[in-house]
Amino acid sequence: MNIALIGLGSMGYNLAKNMVSKNYQVNAYEKNKLIVESINNDNIKNLCLLNTTKELIDKTPSPRIILLSLPANKIDKCISDLINYLNPKDIIADLGNSLYLHSIEREKLLKDHNISFLGIGISGGPRGAKDGPAIMVGGSKSAWENVRCIFEDISAKIDNKSACCYFGSAGSGHFVKLIHNGIEYALMQGLAEISNILEHAYNMDNDLRAKKFEEILKTQSSSFLLKITSEIISAQNNNSQYFIDEVDNKIEQNGTGIWAIKAALELGVSIPSIYEAVSTRSLSNNFKQKSKVNNNDQILSEKIDDVEIPLEEIIFFNFACSLYQGLNLIKKSNVWDFFDYNIDDIFQAWSAGCILQGDYINFISQKYENHKNLNFEFLHSLIEEKCSKKFKLIREFNSNGIRSGLPCPVLSSNLAYYDLIFSNHKIGETIQLQRSFFGLHPIKSKKDDNKIKPYWTKL
Ligand code: 6PG
């Protein structure tokens, strides 16, 4: 397979560097002349820039794979431009953050022209793209077999295994990637909330918090996200000002988290911490507005000292709950006939190179190898093993945040998720009776499934 790449933005260019470093010849096209100029100055061996897509296709003999590293909204136009130039053995691979439903449509369209399609989620940002990303693939199986060696060569590796997996028909790779991103949002915000509680309730300055996080890197709660969070908290500009005290607080998003929530709603799967993280991003549009009302007189103002903070367990608990929610959504998506993949492969794809990578996920993946069933017992066994001795203190940490007026929607929703499943409560019973009272909806006994008819059901 000869390689043609369209789009040399930060992802495309770094993927190209990765491929040429593995001795592949890459022909490429980039529309933006400034980017082209700067890449020409870099003078990369085996990377040949062409002036138009037509020229790119002419100079790359068939059979060829055309890699699209473009924003999601540019993919359809690019595919329709390419269709006329391609041959039946060619493959188009979309490497962007596309919606899985669009990948399914694109495969159908290309099939009519006898062109194969792959929808490929790539994680790790531009650094990962250059040094070895995680790769999540969906689309034509035979097309994949023809090009898998290229992707395995450039992917991240752990214990000689590639973080590069095929998940089934078109859409599956991008679906796995969007769930990866939903979990990514929840973990990022979980760490941000923990940091905020440590700062304002426990009186820890930027350097101390960074140090506390750094210490956890030696444990099984370690992760790439924890590592970068510890670094960014204490990073300073040239005037010795902390970036964390300087940066604008509106959070941007590219839409993958919202797609994860839509899929969860459609499948009836609960992913509250992912939802809370996306919701916070939307609310952050208003973070700057100063409210006329403040709630300072309702909150605990004294700082909390001298209490044990089980940071390793707090982080593990929250990461495990958020990860579990995302994995459960993937598991439930198997009811869609176009998806059929197993959880082992998800762990493999997320074992290295991606934003979710870390010791916590490798630990959970090892446990899964024995348990082989992604059910609530599995979540419970993980939390029992890692957190049971500190569980009261995990609750206390959240409570101290709340008592101090510190928002912690992701931490709270993880705990509520866990308690809804594993603690004794009568929430379901109360709501069923409320529904029965005003709507006369049928209700049944939990003991024997027999109908219950309270007096209010007789009009
Ligand atoms: C990754 C990232 C990557 C990118 C997204 C993040 O896995 O490498 O998820 O795809 O950073 O843009 O999403 P937001 O822009 O929505 O934060």
Side-chain angles (χ1 to χ4, degrees), residues 277-409:
V278 174
S279 162
T280 301
R281 291 195 182 201
S282 305
L283 195 61
S284 75
N285 290 327
N286 309 105
F287 281 176
K288 268 197 199 149
Q289 287 173 11
K290 284 226 186 304
S291 167
K292 290 199 184 82
V293 190
N294 75 47
N295 60 355
N296 284 350
D297 54 349
Q298 297 163 14
I299 63 181
L300 198 76
S301 52
E302 73 267 21
K303 304 287 179 211
I304 303 151
D305 300 311
D306 286 339
V307 279
E308 185 188 346
I309 308 167
L311 208 46
E312 180 185 344
E313 287 81 0
I314 291 169
I315 291 172
F316 186 88
F317 174 75
N318 282 288
F319 276 27
C321 286
S322 297
L323 178 72
Y324 179 84
Q325 291 166 31
L327 289 174
N328 196 28
L329 177 52
I330 292 179
K331 179 183 160 189
K332 298 284 165 57
S333 74
N334 274 359
V335 299
W336 289 331
D337 54 6
F338 39 90
F339 292 159
D340 181 19
Y341 31 81
N342 59 52
I343 299 296
D344 302 85
D345 288 342
I346 310 281
F347 279 125
Q348 179 60 36
W350 295 350
S351 61
C354 65
I355 307 301
L356 296 185
Q357 67 180 294
D359 290 345
Y360 77 100
I361 201 168
N362 297 336
F363 173 82
I364 294 172
S365 143
Q366 274 165 20
K367 293 288 157 190
Y368 182 78
E369 270 179 34
N370 300 329
H371 198 88
K372 280 285 169 236
N373 194 348
L374 192 88
N375 52 16
F376 290 138
E377 284 72 32
F378 176 60
L379 176 64
H380 191 257
S381 67
L382 284 175
I383 302 303
E384 271 297 295
E385 178 169 348
K386 294 294 294 178
C387 307
S388 63
K389 291 198 187 97
K390 306 285 178 183
F391 215 97
K392 283 192 182 142
L393 291 169
I394 295 175
R395 291 185 189 285
E396 206 171 299
F397 184 78
N398 281 13
S399 315
N400 283 334
I402 291 165
R403 275 147 41 99
S404 308
L406 302 169
C408 46

Side-chain angles (χ1 to χ4, degrees), residues 97 123-125 177 180-181 184-185 252-254 281 355:
N97 269 327
S123 178
K177 175 61 172 44
H180 168 283
N181 280 27
E184 169 188 305
Y185 283 26
E252 304 291 344
Q253 56 182 325
N254 68 13
R281 291 195 182 201
I355 307 301

Side-chain angles (χ1 to χ4, degrees), residues 228-291:
I228 64 160
T229 307
S230 128
E231 183 170 336
I232 53 120
I233 289 173
S234 55
Q236 299 177 359
N237 65 16
N238 293 338
N239 301 323
S240 304
Q241 220 188 347
Y242 291 99
F243 291 112
I244 193 97
D245 299 329
E246 191 191 21
V247 66
D248 179 24
N249 57 12
K250 178 174 175 299
I251 317 168
E252 304 291 344
Q253 56 182 325
N254 68 13
T256 43
I258 294 172
W259 296 338
I261 290 165
K262 282 187 178 168
L265 290 174
E266 204 179 313
L267 289 164
V269 180
S270 169
I271 53 165
S273 68
I274 296 174
Y275 172 77
E276 288 297 351
V278 174
S279 162
T280 301
R281 291 195 182 201
S282 305
L283 195 61
S284 75
N285 290 327
N286 309 105
F287 281 176
K288 268 197 199 149
Q289 287 173 11
K290 284 226 186 304
S291 167

